[in-house]
Amino acid sequence: MNKIAVFTSGGDSPGMNACIRAVVRSAIYNGIEVYGIRRGFNGMINGDIFRMESSSVSNIIQRGGTILKSARSKEFTTKEGRQKAYDNLKAHNIDGLVAIGGDGTFTGANIFYQEFGVPTIGAPGTIDNDLYGTDYTIGYDTAVNTAINAIDKIRDTADSHERVFFIEVMGRDSGYIAIPCAVGGGAEIVMIPETKTSIKNVVETLQTGWSRSKTSFVVVIAEGDEEGTAVEIAAKVQKEIPRMDARVTILGHVQRGGSPSAADRMLASQLGIACVDGLLQGRACEMAGIVNSQLVYTPFIDTITKEKAINPSFSQMISILSV
Amino acid sequence: MNKIAVFTSGGDSPGMNACIRAVVRSAIYNGIEVYGIRRGFNGMINGDIFRMESSSVSNIIQRGGTILKSARSKEFTTKEGRQKAYDNLKAHNIDGLVAIGGDGTFTGANIFYQEFGVPTIGAPGTIDNDLYGTDYTIGYDTAVNTAINAIDKIRDTADSHERVFFIEVMGRDSGYIAIPCAVGGGAEIVMIPETKTSIKNVVETLQTGWSRSKTSFVVVIAEGDEEGTAVEIAAKVQKEIPRMDARVTILGHVQRGGSPSAADRMLASQLGIACVDGLLQGRACEMAGIVNSQLVYTPFIDTITKEKAINPSFSQMISILSV
Amino acid sequence: MNKIAVFTSGGDSPGMNACIRAVVRSAIYNGIEVYGIRRGFNGMINGDIFRMESSSVSNIIQRGGTILKSARSKEFTTKEGRQKAYDNLKAHNIDGLVAIGGDGTFTGANIFYQEFGVPTIGAPGTIDNDLYGTDYTIGYDTAVNTAINAIDKIRDTADSHERVFFIEVMGRDSGYIAIPCAVGGGAEIVMIPETKTSIKNVVETLQTGWSRSKTSFVVVIAEGDEEGTAVEIAAKVQKEIPRMDARVTILGHVQRGGSPSAADRMLASQLGIACVDGLLQGRACEMAGIVNSQLVYTPFIDTITKEKAINPSFSQMISILSV
Amino acid sequence: MNKIAVFTSGGDSPGMNACIRAVVRSAIYNGIEVYGIRRGFNGMINGDIFRMESSSVSNIIQRGGTILKSARSKEFTTKEGRQKAYDNLKAHNIDGLVAIGGDGTFTGANIFYQEFGVPTIGAPGTIDNDLYGTDYTIGYDTAVNTAINAIDKIRDTADSHERVFFIEVMGRDSGYIAIPCAVGGGAEIVMIPETKTSIKNVVETLQTGWSRSKTSFVVVIAEGDEEGTAVEIAAKVQKEIPRMDARVTILGHVQRGGSPSAADRMLASQLGIACVDGLLQGRACEMAGIVNSQLVYTPFIDTITKEKAINPSFSQMISILSV
């Protein structure tokens, strides 16, 4: 392995820059030439590939987003697209790839390896924390902190006015973001896809709270909840409790940005180094992750197909803590 | 003047606690007894009035929201309500009031003075900065900083993905919040109620930008804009430019909370002291404010009826800075 | 077990309030009466003990410091002091204790149990992360984030001026805080008690950097490093490189305060619940901790005497990442 | 005026990048070519001058420090140095300069104009706010917010432990930074160069506080205070009150960095535009500033020699608010 390239793909997440930096510097440390590819698989197809030096990644560890930009690529789902991508890598003599992204990215890299034999090692870059093979994904800790800081601000206002706030957080089909937001944000109710919380439960919890003279409530809703969006859920509850003074907040893309937290910088740095090490060890189609404080490599296929269950005791914590 | 009371009313804003603290300590410094009233005029009507000491306001200067809670009061718009309020103040021998709030609060206090002769001095507590008689209102600087921090995070993601973000900020009928958010957030377009920006303008600015190879755009929209909400405006633009990858964010109540900024703590402290001084000077129905670094008192009636025009050069700044 | 009490002791750390909240609410959830003790063992001796309700811990999860205040107690090191403490607990019929603190606290609780049979379960409340029996202590993640944010600001200035910054962080006898600060702060050099870094190494690293046209440097120093304080180390390096433009920053107590991070709120909440559960299970003189995502109870004696080794690969990361 | 150049000089401050951005884009908006000069006068002497486009300043408005780097230049104090600088400007046909810095910068620019006739317009870039001709300097608001956030964290710990914290903030010979830090940080005592606060006063204030059962104290000290540094002052007070549990924090260079606040971004943007406008109007050797919300140009000589007095009522606020 003499030349490798790094790219980011899929939704961006805080810490991707820290990971790029670690890949670049670790490659140089190991005497390998390193290239950057812009806009994920699209840049591979279009030849948007450039040499990176140590100074290319100076002063980026603290910055959100990704200096390599990210995109989803339709063309890479075609054989012709992948052929073009391969030709461009070949032209630069690039013989290994580091992909920072999620399951869509790893699926593409898997096919690419089967067809063209270019090995990819992946780092889990997504705020959703829904990838098997690592306890935490890069960006998750930052996204949760961002959401909790927003909830803190909303709670100031909730306490001042005695309202019910319905706050929607990200997380695709999982409650990984919602759970710590609810615990850390001091929420009275959390609604996640993994467990069923009916509108009736919500109504009862609110009414029990009022009867015990609680004055303000925060309901944290994962975007994938089966009862609908925060707007829809608030409307359903309002129908049952017409006197309720409700407000809806959808945190949205604010959660994807921002300077990465300490934990995300550390994780991104460790995994960036591990990706380069993995390529040097002859690995292919594996994701570097940290499980129980240990570095592990997991086949892409497992990260995509195996499920990472959320700790069931976490939902119960909300009931205890809002007593 | 031997006994005064302080309350917060209307929408809460960061710095209200710093202002309460200044009122309480300044009263004590001047040898006056001071009371707190909970939930604005409602607490006056219900007799939710309690003695405050210096220690009642320890360690609150940095906290968002209001420890006295806030509410709008229907009952206070009736003569019966105001009579009850007066009786409760009388029972405590309270002979002066400090009201931290906005125009609705000052309107109520004006009527109350005409009917019952209890003088009120007001402090401008609202994030909207739309009150005549002060350059800045308490909470405005914090709200703008909160919104800009959110825009910074969104821009990380916008830059990574080449999208157009439509971001709605608060401000009722004015662009006071939107303008510095757009300048400070590096936005390409700002839409405020005070000036007309047509959908056609927006479309042209985006297309000019793309032609000059700008890759991401931020459009800041004041909630009172004549073209509609951020959701509506994004839909209108999308109709003209189907290929646009647009995202909408509504910052919402996050802007009302949070630890007050340095400037808001300073302003709130100055005005809290000035409110007590105003009562001691025999003033009534006036708002304390800072204009051109000078403390001024403005009749409530002027703060309600006179308009505070936004500097017209600010809108032009956006065009220059996004060149 | 019918009545328990909770206290904080030793140096305060962010998340102590979140832990107190979890203890109080978990006790109530389990039908147990709960008391707070102010100023650690001192309050036990002086009888500063008071009943806590659910509302006693409303709106504190996000606040730094400890509402129960903390102190070190000389008197509790005497038999007379402990007798008084016991008499006060007895007077309230308190038959179990939750102690949030560090090794000094647990040592005291151990002796107290041997003498008077009052069981204590502990939660690890210290920013230093140097306690055996838990992967992370409450406050550690927040302290590291605070320090990294400060280093980010210093680096802005370092980059603008081409200087060498020597930054001293906390951590008592360990490099637990220094290591992620150095990795996450993009430092070129880290100096920790666990490994020897000579002044000669520092000088060489700086000179190699200059020769590769690096322009600014950050050296992170753990307070317990064998080469001395940041002030002393900077002076020693300056003697070797007289032309160096050096600046020293000692972050100090800023690291102990601030709103707890998401991870610290989650950890503190889990462990607060676990402390109450531990007492209900009949445990005594054990600390609740999280090891490899699992809740574990470790005898106080082990948390005090066993060493928690720092991952040796972390130091090497700094060399790789600053290449 | 066809070609201008911009540079930053002296101590860096947050908002300098926002100002550079405004200068560059405003120049382009006005059809003028614009250059950047690195490291202040040093870059002028060494010819470190480069063409800037609109994209050169993309995504920098939110970043601390200065992308043009800053330095103090000994060589520019010599005639030979200035001759070299002039020759380099001449070689690029640069006929106007924008200097972002403080009094040292403006002094140099004044001499340079007298000798070589190259006009400079200045923007006040310093955290110290000690320049005549503007109500606020670029970076001041951010520095004060940074310091207050640090004081908030320290106060968490002070309240938990009943200590006296002596906190030294920046500000050269003025108390401009110290005053709002003390008001906004809820300090009991402030010590600034402009007014005399004796150690005896400090001792009395602490003792009065204790007698009224205040448990923790924050003393904010401006670095230029006549009683010495925070370390020295704490030692003097400790000598008088041996039982005092004192801690000293020196915030240091943390105050110079960080993402600029909303107000600093707005101010920097306004003044950057005003600098270009000033050059186009034929002005020379003047600083753009905002006084009472109005844009004004003040001769460099006045900004250097005239004094900007601090509002004397501010010191009294501390006494009232810590009652």
Side-chain angles (χ1 to χ4, degrees):
Chain A
M1 186 113 343
N2 294 310
K3 297 187 185 184
I4 67 170
V6 57
F7 64 99
T8 51
S9 174
D12 64 315
S13 72
M16 280 187 161
N17 281 328
C19 193
I20 294 167
R21 173 177 177 269
V23 170
V24 169
R25 296 210 166 155
S26 175
I28 293 169
Y29 185 86
N30 284 290
I32 300 172
E33 272 188 25
V34 60
Y35 291 77
I37 302 171
R38 286 198 193 87
R39 289 175 195 77
F41 292 122
N42 281 338
M44 223 181 275
I45 292 169
N46 303 328
D48 197 350
I49 300 173
F50 64 105
R51 178 76 182 274
M52 296 186 86
E53 308 289 351
S54 176
S55 62
S56 313
V57 293
S58 283
N59 214 9
I60 67 165
I61 194 171
Q62 79 280 19
R63 283 160 64 184
T66 156
I67 61 165
L68 294 179
K69 295 182 186 287
S70 188
R72 295 179 211 272
S73 172
K74 262 194 200 159
E75 203 176 349
F76 198 77
T77 63
T78 69
K79 184 73 195 272
E80 296 70 35
R82 293 191 295 272
Q83 180 70 52
K84 280 195 218 164
Y86 176 70
D87 295 344
N88 281 320
L89 294 182
K90 188 94 189 165
H92 286 88
N93 291 317
I94 291 165
D95 41 21
L97 294 171
V98 174
I100 308 168
D103 47 13
T105 312
F106 299 159
T107 303
N110 237 353
I111 298 171
F112 194 59
Y113 180 68
Q114 283 154 19
E115 291 176 349
F116 298 100
V118 184
T120 299
I121 298 293
T126 161
I127 63 167
D128 298 324
N129 200 33
D130 55 359
L131 280 172
Y132 179 88
T134 192
D135 288 344
Y136 300 108
T137 55
I138 298 166
Y140 171 66
D141 184 62
T142 306
V144 171
N145 274 290
T146 299
I148 285 185
N149 286 343
I151 295 172
D152 282 353
K153 291 188 210 293
I154 289 170
R155 189 172 267 290
D156 285 341
T157 272
D159 279 337
S160 299
H161 281 281
E162 314 192 336
R163 285 174 175 154
V164 181
F165 273 91
F166 295 84
I167 304 173
E168 185 177 308
V169 298
M170 287 188 161
R172 295 207 304 181
D173 304 323
S174 104
Y176 268 109
I177 290 180
I179 288 285
C181 285
V183 172
E188 279 73 19
I189 300 168
V190 67
M191 301 178 76
I192 59 172
E194 287 88 345
T195 62
K196 206 170 152 38
T197 307
S198 69
I199 298 298
K200 204 167 147 258
N201 295 151
V202 176
V203 169
E204 281 169 9
T205 304
L206 292 174
Q207 282 170 334
T208 309
W210 278 310
S211 73
R212 290 207 322 267
S213 66
K214 275 224 169 199
T215 55
S216 65
F217 295 84
V218 169
V219 184
V220 171
I221 298 164
E223 61 180 348
D225 190 68
E226 76 284 352
E227 286 288 352
T229 65
V231 171
E232 291 162 357
I233 290 171
K236 290 179 187 177
V237 177
Q238 184 83 67
K239 220 178 128 191
E240 302 297 317
I241 318 178
R243 73 181 176 90
M244 174 180 72
D245 186 3
R247 293 286 185 283
V248 176
T249 297
I250 297 160
L251 291 180
H253 278 73
V254 174
Q255 294 163 88
R256 291 205 174 279
S259 184
S261 69
D264 274 328
R265 297 185 195 190
M266 192 74 185
L267 178 66
S269 299
Q270 285 180 277
L271 296 185
I273 292 172
C275 284
V276 174
D277 286 349
L279 285 174
L280 289 177
Q281 292 163 16
R283 295 176 184 275
C285 296
E286 292 181 354
M287 183 189 83
I290 304 283
V291 176
N292 289 343
S293 312
Q294 298 298 317
L295 178 66
V296 294
Y297 295 92
T298 304
F300 280 161
I301 191 70
D302 290 351
T303 70
I304 298 162
T305 55
K306 291 198 180 169
E307 215 166 309
K308 186 162 91 175
I310 210 162
N311 187 330
S313 77
F314 287 164
S315 282
Q316 205 214 342
M317 283 177 72
I318 316 292
S319 309
I320 297 175
L321 294 172
S322 63
V323 93
Chain B
M1 186 115 342
N2 293 311
K3 296 187 184 184
I4 66 169
V6 57
F7 64 99
T8 51
S9 176
D12 65 312
S13 73
M16 281 188 161
N17 281 328
C19 193
I20 294 167
R21 173 178 177 267
V23 170
V24 169
R25 297 210 164 154
S26 175
I28 293 169
Y29 185 86
N30 284 290
I32 299 173
E33 272 187 24
V34 60
Y35 291 78
I37 302 172
R38 286 199 194 87
R39 288 175 196 77
F41 293 122
N42 281 338
M44 222 182 275
I45 293 170
N46 303 328
D48 197 352
I49 300 173
F50 64 105
R51 179 74 184 274
M52 297 184 86
E53 307 290 350
S54 176
S55 61
S56 314
V57 292
S58 284
N59 214 11
I60 66 165
I61 194 171
Q62 79 281 18
R63 284 159 62 186
T66 156
I67 60 165
L68 294 179
K69 295 182 184 290
S70 188
R72 297 179 210 273
S73 172
K74 262 195 199 157
E75 204 177 348
F76 198 77
T77 61
T78 67
K79 184 70 195 278
E80 296 70 35
R82 294 192 295 273
Q83 180 69 51
K84 281 194 219 166
Y86 176 70
D87 294 344
N88 281 320
L89 295 181
K90 189 92 191 167
H92 286 88
N93 291 317
I94 290 164
D95 40 20
L97 295 170
V98 174
I100 308 169
D103 47 15
T105 313
F106 300 160
T107 304
N110 237 353
I111 298 170
F112 193 59
Y113 180 66
Q114 283 154 19
E115 291 175 349
F116 298 99
V118 183
T120 298
I121 298 294
T126 161
I127 63 166
D128 299 322
N129 201 32
D130 55 357
L131 281 172
Y132 179 87
T134 192
D135 287 345
Y136 300 108
T137 55
I138 297 166
Y140 171 66
D141 184 62
T142 306
V144 171
N145 274 291
T146 298
I148 285 184
N149 286 343
I151 295 172
D152 282 352
K153 289 188 210 295
I154 289 169
R155 189 173 268 289
D156 285 340
T157 272
D159 279 337
S160 299
H161 280 282
E162 315 191 336
R163 285 174 175 154
V164 182
F165 272 91
F166 294 83
I167 304 172
E168 185 177 307
V169 297
M170 286 188 161
R172 293 208 304 183
D173 304 322
S174 104
Y176 268 110
I177 290 179
I179 288 285
C181 285
V183 172
E188 280 73 19
I189 300 169
V190 67
M191 301 178 75
I192 60 172
E194 287 89 344
T195 61
K196 207 171 150 39
T197 308
S198 69
I199 298 298
K200 205 166 148 256
N201 295 151
V202 176
V203 169
E204 281 170 10
T205 304
L206 291 175
Q207 283 171 335
T208 308
W210 278 311
S211 73
R212 290 207 322 267
S213 67
K214 275 224 171 200
T215 55
S216 66
F217 295 84
V218 170
V219 184
V220 172
I221 298 163
E223 61 178 349
D225 190 68
E226 76 283 352
E227 286 287 353
T229 65
V231 171
E232 292 162 358
I233 290 171
K236 290 180 188 176
V237 177
Q238 185 82 70
K239 222 178 125 188
E240 302 297 316
I241 318 178
R243 72 182 176 89
M244 174 179 72
D245 186 2
R247 291 289 184 281
V248 176
T249 297
I250 298 160
L251 291 180
H253 278 73
V254 174
Q255 295 162 86
R256 291 205 173 278
S259 183
S261 70
D264 273 328
R265 296 185 196 192
M266 193 74 186
L267 178 66
S269 299
Q270 286 180 276
L271 296 185
I273 293 172
C275 285
V276 174
D277 287 349
L279 285 175
L280 289 177
Q281 291 162 17
R283 294 176 185 276
C285 296
E286 292 181 355
M287 184 189 83
I290 305 282
V291 176
N292 290 343
S293 311
Q294 297 298 316
L295 178 65
V296 293
Y297 294 92
T298 304
F300 280 161
I301 191 70
D302 290 352
T303 70
I304 299 162
T305 55
K306 292 198 179 168
E307 216 166 309
K308 185 162 93 176
I310 210 163
N311 187 329
S313 77
F314 287 164
S315 283
Q316 204 213 343
M317 284 178 71
I318 315 290
S319 311
I320 297 174
L321 294 172
S322 64
V323 94
Chain C
M1 187 113 346
N2 293 309
K3 296 187 184 183
I4 66 169
V6 57
F7 64 98
T8 51
S9 175
D12 64 314
S13 73
M16 281 186 161
N17 281 328
C19 193
I20 294 167
R21 174 178 177 268
V23 170
V24 169
R25 297 209 166 156
S26 175
I28 293 169
Y29 184 87
N30 284 290
I32 299 172
E33 272 188 24
V34 60
Y35 291 78
I37 303 172
R38 286 198 194 86
R39 288 175 196 76
F41 293 122
N42 282 338
M44 224 182 275
I45 293 169
N46 303 327
D48 197 351
I49 300 172
F50 65 105
R51 180 74 183 275
M52 296 186 86
E53 307 290 351
S54 178
S55 61
S56 314
V57 292
S58 284
N59 214 8
I60 67 166
I61 194 171
Q62 79 280 18
R63 283 159 64 184
T66 156
I67 60 164
L68 294 179
K69 294 183 186 288
S70 188
R72 296 179 210 273
S73 172
K74 262 194 201 159
E75 203 177 348
F76 198 77
T77 62
T78 67
K79 184 71 196 274
E80 296 71 36
R82 294 192 295 272
Q83 181 70 52
K84 281 195 218 165
Y86 177 71
D87 294 343
N88 282 319
L89 295 180
K90 188 94 190 165
H92 287 89
N93 292 317
I94 290 165
D95 40 20
L97 295 171
V98 174
I100 308 167
D103 48 12
T105 312
F106 299 159
T107 304
N110 237 353
I111 298 171
F112 192 60
Y113 180 68
Q114 283 153 19
E115 290 174 349
F116 298 100
V118 184
T120 298
I121 298 294
T126 161
I127 63 167
D128 299 323
N129 200 33
D130 55 358
L131 279 172
Y132 178 88
T134 192
D135 288 345
Y136 300 108
T137 54
I138 298 166
Y140 171 65
D141 184 63
T142 306
V144 171
N145 274 290
T146 299
I148 285 184
N149 286 343
I151 295 172
D152 282 353
K153 291 188 208 296
I154 288 170
R155 188 172 268 289
D156 286 340
T157 273
D159 279 337
S160 299
H161 281 283
E162 314 192 337
R163 284 172 177 156
V164 182
F165 272 90
F166 295 84
I167 303 173
E168 185 177 308
V169 298
M170 286 188 162
R172 292 207 307 181
D173 304 322
S174 104
Y176 268 109
I177 291 180
I179 287 286
C181 285
V183 172
E188 280 73 20
I189 301 168
V190 66
M191 301 178 76
I192 59 172
E194 287 89 344
T195 61
K196 209 174 148 36
T197 307
S198 69
I199 298 299
K200 204 166 147 258
N201 295 151
V202 176
V203 169
E204 281 170 9
T205 304
L206 292 174
Q207 282 171 335
T208 310
W210 279 309
S211 72
R212 292 207 322 266
S213 67
K214 274 224 170 199
T215 54
S216 65
F217 296 84
V218 169
V219 184
V220 171
I221 298 164
E223 61 180 350
D225 190 68
E226 76 283 352
E227 286 288 351
T229 65
V231 171
E232 291 162 358
I233 290 170
K236 289 178 187 176
V237 176
Q238 185 82 69
K239 221 178 126 188
E240 302 297 316
I241 317 178
R243 71 181 177 89
M244 174 179 72
D245 187 3
R247 293 288 185 281
V248 176
T249 297
I250 298 161
L251 291 180
H253 279 72
V254 174
Q255 295 163 87
R256 290 204 173 281
S259 184
S261 70
D264 273 329
R265 296 185 195 192
M266 193 73 184
L267 178 66
S269 299
Q270 286 179 277
L271 297 185
I273 293 172
C275 284
V276 174
D277 286 349
L279 285 174
L280 289 176
Q281 292 163 16
R283 294 177 185 275
C285 297
E286 293 181 353
M287 184 188 84
I290 304 282
V291 176
N292 290 342
S293 310
Q294 298 298 317
L295 178 65
V296 293
Y297 295 92
T298 304
F300 281 162
I301 191 70
D302 290 350
T303 69
I304 298 161
T305 56
K306 291 198 180 168
E307 217 165 308
K308 185 162 91 175
I310 210 163
N311 187 329
S313 78
F314 287 164
S315 283
Q316 205 215 341
M317 285 178 70
I318 315 291
S319 309
I320 297 175
L321 294 171
S322 64
V323 93
Chain D
M1 186 111 348
N2 293 311
K3 297 186 184 184
I4 66 169
V6 57
F7 64 99
T8 50
S9 175
D12 66 313
S13 73
M16 281 187 161
N17 281 327
C19 193
I20 294 167
R21 173 178 177 269
V23 170
V24 169
R25 297 209 165 155
S26 175
I28 293 169
Y29 185 87
N30 284 289
I32 300 172
E33 272 187 25
V34 60
Y35 291 78
I37 303 172
R38 285 199 194 86
R39 289 176 195 74
F41 293 122
N42 281 339
M44 224 182 275
I45 293 169
N46 303 329
D48 197 352
I49 300 173
F50 65 105
R51 179 73 183 275
M52 295 184 87
E53 307 290 351
S54 177
S55 61
S56 314
V57 293
S58 283
N59 214 10
I60 66 166
I61 194 172
Q62 79 280 20
R63 283 159 64 185
T66 156
I67 60 166
L68 295 179
K69 294 182 186 288
S70 188
R72 296 179 210 272
S73 172
K74 261 194 202 159
E75 203 176 347
F76 198 77
T77 62
T78 67
K79 185 70 197 275
E80 295 71 36
R82 294 192 295 271
Q83 180 69 52
K84 282 194 217 167
Y86 176 71
D87 294 344
N88 281 320
L89 295 181
K90 189 91 192 167
H92 286 88
N93 291 318
I94 290 164
D95 40 20
L97 295 170
V98 174
I100 308 167
D103 48 13
T105 312
F106 300 159
T107 304
N110 236 354
I111 298 171
F112 193 59
Y113 180 67
Q114 283 154 19
E115 290 176 350
F116 297 101
V118 183
T120 298
I121 297 293
T126 159
I127 62 167
D128 297 323
N129 200 33
D130 56 357
L131 280 171
Y132 178 88
T134 193
D135 287 344
Y136 300 108
T137 55
I138 298 166
Y140 171 66
D141 184 62
T142 306
V144 171
N145 274 291
T146 299
I148 284 184
N149 286 343
I151 294 172
D152 281 353
K153 290 187 209 296
I154 289 170
R155 188 173 269 286
D156 285 341
T157 273
D159 279 339
S160 298
H161 280 283
E162 315 193 334
R163 285 174 176 153
V164 181
F165 272 91
F166 294 84
I167 304 172
E168 184 177 308
V169 298
M170 286 189 162
R172 294 209 304 184
D173 304 323
S174 103
Y176 268 110
I177 291 179
I179 288 284
C181 286
V183 172
E188 280 73 20
I189 301 168
V190 66
M191 301 178 75
I192 59 172
E194 287 89 345
T195 61
K196 209 174 147 36
T197 307
S198 69
I199 298 298
K200 207 168 146 255
N201 295 150
V202 176
V203 169
E204 281 170 10
T205 304
L206 293 174
Q207 284 171 334
T208 308
W210 278 311
S211 73
R212 291 207 321 266
S213 66
K214 275 223 169 199
T215 55
S216 66
F217 295 85
V218 169
V219 184
V220 171
I221 298 164
E223 62 180 348
D225 190 68
E226 78 282 352
E227 286 288 352
T229 65
V231 171
E232 291 162 358
I233 291 170
K236 289 179 188 177
V237 177
Q238 185 81 70
K239 221 178 127 189
E240 302 297 316
I241 318 179
R243 73 182 177 90
M244 174 179 72
D245 186 2
R247 292 289 184 281
V248 176
T249 297
I250 298 161
L251 292 180
H253 278 72
V254 174
Q255 295 162 86
R256 291 204 173 279
S259 184
S261 69
D264 273 328
R265 296 185 196 191
M266 192 74 187
L267 178 67
S269 299
Q270 286 179 276
L271 296 185
I273 293 172
C275 284
V276 175
D277 287 349
L279 285 174
L280 289 176
Q281 291 163 16
R283 295 177 185 274
C285 296
E286 292 180 355
M287 183 189 84
I290 304 283
V291 176
N292 289 343
S293 311
Q294 298 297 319
L295 178 66
V296 293
Y297 294 93
T298 304
F300 280 161
I301 191 71
D302 290 352
T303 70
I304 299 162
T305 55
K306 291 197 180 170
E307 216 166 308
K308 185 162 91 175
I310 209 163
N311 187 330
S313 78
F314 287 164
S315 281
Q316 204 215 340
M317 284 178 71
I318 315 291
S319 309
I320 296 175
L321 294 172
S322 64
V323 93

